[in-house]
Amino acid sequence: MRTFAMAAIISFLPIKSASAHIVAGSVSSFDAGLVHPISGLDHVTAMIAVGMLAAFKGGRALWLWPLSFVGMMVMGGTLGFAHVHLPFVELGISASVVILGIMVAFSIIPKLSAGAALIGGFAILHGHAHVSELPHSSSGLAFALGFSAATIFLHLVGIGLAKGWKAIARSQTEAAVDFFENLPRERW
């Protein structure tokens, strides 16, 4: 898993800006909001990493961290819709990919409140980027519902991946233990 995670991190190092952008069609529709987070690898990676970290931590983090991301992403989206400028949004989104990717790769699991704060901070930037690209005349509610639904889906993908990897690792460990326990032992 670490090799896969490190390869993913390295592949995102050349990203200069957030790559999720409005696709052609209605920019204020639920469908456009649904597609928006999935259209950028940086957003996809960060959101899946949040789900994976939540699953690795377990307990309350399993629901608190993804909900913190969605809630703070909506807050960031609200700021973007109100045309409030946030500095370094693109840089912060790139940092979220790298930092969350490193945390997944090296199993760096913070305390519950620290994880929620870190994830929430990154989510503000992701939400701002999602909504700041909307035209001034757009109604953002349907769009926000769409990108929130897509984000929840990506968090669930991350949770599923982490739980699957945990199950595989557990079964491999059990198989190795069984193998060594069943080896013939020489008697002296």
Side-chain angles (χ1 to χ4, degrees), residues 39-65:
S39 66
L41 286 177
D42 47 0
H43 293 296
V44 170
T45 304
M47 293 174 197
I48 288 175
V50 167
M52 293 178 76
L53 290 170
F56 291 156
K57 178 75 170 174
R60 293 188 313 177
L62 194 58
W63 58 267
L64 180 64
W65 289 355

Side-chain angles (χ1 to χ4, degrees), residues 15-157:
I15 293 175
K16 292 182 178 67
S17 65
S19 62
H21 298 286
I22 301 294
V23 292
S26 173
V27 295
S28 61
S29 71
F30 178 83
D31 293 344
L34 197 61
V35 171
H36 192 247
I38 298 170
S39 66
L41 286 177
D42 47 0
H43 293 296
V44 170
T45 304
M47 293 174 197
I48 288 175
V50 167
M52 293 178 76
L53 290 170
F56 291 156
K57 178 75 170 174
R60 293 188 313 177
L62 194 58
W63 58 267
L64 180 64
W65 289 355
L67 288 180
S68 294
F69 192 99
V70 173
M72 295 308 287
M73 182 182 65
V74 168
M75 294 291 285
T78 302
L79 291 172
F81 193 72
H83 306 292
V84 173
H85 174 72
L86 293 181
F88 309 112
V89 170
E90 304 291 338
L91 182 62
I93 289 171
S94 295
S96 74
V97 172
V98 173
I99 291 169
L100 294 172
I102 288 170
M103 291 173 72
V104 168
F106 294 105
S107 300
I108 302 169
I109 311 299
K111 292 184 179 185
L112 186 67
S113 58
L118 178 71
I119 288 166
F122 286 144
I124 290 172
L125 301 174
H126 282 267
H128 191 277
H130 289 318
V131 174
S132 64
E133 296 174 348
L134 286 174
H136 298 293
S137 62
S138 297
S139 168
L141 182 60
F143 184 80
L145 289 172
F147 76 69
S148 294
T151 297
I152 292 167
F153 170 76
L154 291 169
H155 290 325
L156 290 172
V157 168

Side-chain angles (χ1 to χ4, degrees), residues 144-176:
L145 289 172
F147 76 69
S148 294
T151 297
I152 292 167
F153 170 76
L154 291 169
H155 290 325
L156 290 172
V157 168
I159 290 168
L161 285 172
K163 287 188 174 273
W165 281 338
K166 278 181 164 180
I168 290 168
R170 192 176 320 113
S171 69
Q172 288 178 343
T173 301
E174 290 170 1

